[in-house]
Amino acid sequence: PLRPGRIVIALDAHAGAPALPVRQAGEVVKAGEVLAESPIEAIGSRYHAPIDGRVIRVTGRSIELGL
């Protein structure tokens, strides 16, 4: 979902195990940096920041970035 000034990235939007966040709220990220990775030895996806921004919230299901 897209909200003005924020982007929410679902960590289970693929086949396989949900990705595990590798960032914490408050961290500044650049576009292309890794936000979440698949659990070791599991099929899944790696998620990258689509924009430069700040991590606003991290849950087991999503990461929210502010512009």
Side-chain angles (χ1 to χ4, degrees):
L2 182 63
R3 295 186 214 145
R6 295 180 182 211
I7 294 176
V8 178
I9 301 163
L11 300 179
D12 58 357
H14 61 276
L20 302 174
V22 297
R23 299 292 182 164
Q24 296 179 359
E27 288 188 62
V28 174
V29 295
K30 299 281 187 190
E33 291 184 340
V34 174
L35 297 175
E37 297 184 316
S38 298
I40 295 174
E41 298 185 22
I43 295 173
S45 295
R46 178 179 281 172
Y47 287 82
H48 298 85
I51 59 168
D52 294 349
R54 180 177 303 274
V55 178
I56 295 179
R57 184 177 3 179
V58 177
T59 71
R61 297 190 60 154
S62 66
I63 293 180
E64 186 172 344
L65 296 179
L67 305 178

